Amino acid sequence: MEQTMIDVKNLSKEYLVTNRRDSLKDTLKNIFKPEQTVVEAVKNLSFTVKPGETIGFIGQNGAGKTTTIKMLTGTLFPSSGTCKINGFDPTKRETNFKKSISVVMGNRSQLFPDLTPRDYLSLLQTMYEIDEREFTQTVDNLANTLKISNKLDTQTRKLSLGERMKIEFLAGVVTKPKVLFLDEPTIGLDVIAKRDLRKFLIKLNKDEQLTIFLTSHDMDDIAAICDHLIIINHGEIIWNGLKQDLLAKFGKSKYVTFTKRENFDATNLKAKIVTQDELTITIKVPAGEVENAVAALAANKQGSDYQISDLKLEDIIIELFAKENE
């Protein structure tokens, strides 16, 4: 039987939200007899992840991504369903389970601003009961890969955002977890810092067979790091499969962008309009029909300055959400 690192079955999470109103009468009612509505943040999720897989967990704001990660890491208890991480039940919060996972959140630091990174890492070494010599060697190797060896003895509050995030990543993997959960890990970083962190994760996955579970609104993160995509909408899975399969299924078209001419008439178009403004328009055309479509537009003097581009992963996902929300 094939081994699984993450096994999720019918996982759901519901919240009770109190409906509040502003009048005096309703204020008293809010206190003594509040009206509550059940909100389904996550609905009946089921999926498996194999050891060493890199998962992109994608959804719009409020889709249930962070709630799911919190259930998988034992921070929240599910309303129903089960999940197993490396064979452990997160709800039991066993010590060995905690040692087998790590979580890095771009909007929530685990560092102490008044300590140096080396001081904080020494604390982790003690908490995780790791051999000091082995731990020091691991820190040195990872710090060298992340190009932050010269920052380990600088007070954390004096580091830049990019440097702090690199320390967060170092702290997240120095204990050698089996699964690394990442929630918007590159938010606010510049392009060079993002590139360095992506290269670091790709190398770590290849060298250590680390399972990576990444949620991010930055599709460049997803495209660079993840091979497997799970896409959710309103708490439900709408795609679960390989990234290449998604690109192959929905990427058989191209975008044609052009500048509108004075006599442009959208009713003459036989293609789907993707975006447009007063000056330009982008249409979606099957790959085999691009040449004829451009020739027809030019012959009818509908546009100029034609640009042809492939659909990116972000474009496909946006269209997938739009289709689901129709």
Side-chain angles (χ1 to χ4, degrees), residues 76-91:
L76 282 178
F77 286 5
S79 301
S80 61
T82 61
C83 58
K84 290 287 184 69
I85 311 297
N86 192 29
F88 295 102
D89 180 352
T91 63

Side-chain angles (χ1 to χ4, degrees), residues 51-97:
E53 276 198 289
T54 50
I55 303 297
F57 194 59
I58 305 168
Q60 297 170 292
N61 287 331
K65 304 185 301 299
T66 300
T67 298
T68 300
I69 285 183
K70 287 181 176 180
M71 288 190 287
L72 298 183
T73 56
T75 307
L76 282 178
F77 286 5
S79 301
S80 61
T82 61
C83 58
K84 290 287 184 69
I85 311 297
N86 192 29
F88 295 102
D89 180 352
T91 63
K92 295 181 179 178
R93 299 177 176 176
E94 298 172 72
T95 299
N96 286 336
F97 162 69

Side-chain angles (χ1 to χ4, degrees), residues 254-259 280-285 290 294 297 303-311:
K254 291 184 179 292
Y255 284 160
V256 178
T257 303
F258 58 92
T259 302
T280 63
I281 185 169
T282 298
I283 59 175
K284 182 180 176 184
V285 180
V290 171
V294 172
L297 289 167
S304 60
D305 301 325
Y306 295 94
Q307 298 180 10
I308 301 167
S309 60
D310 293 326
L311 272 68

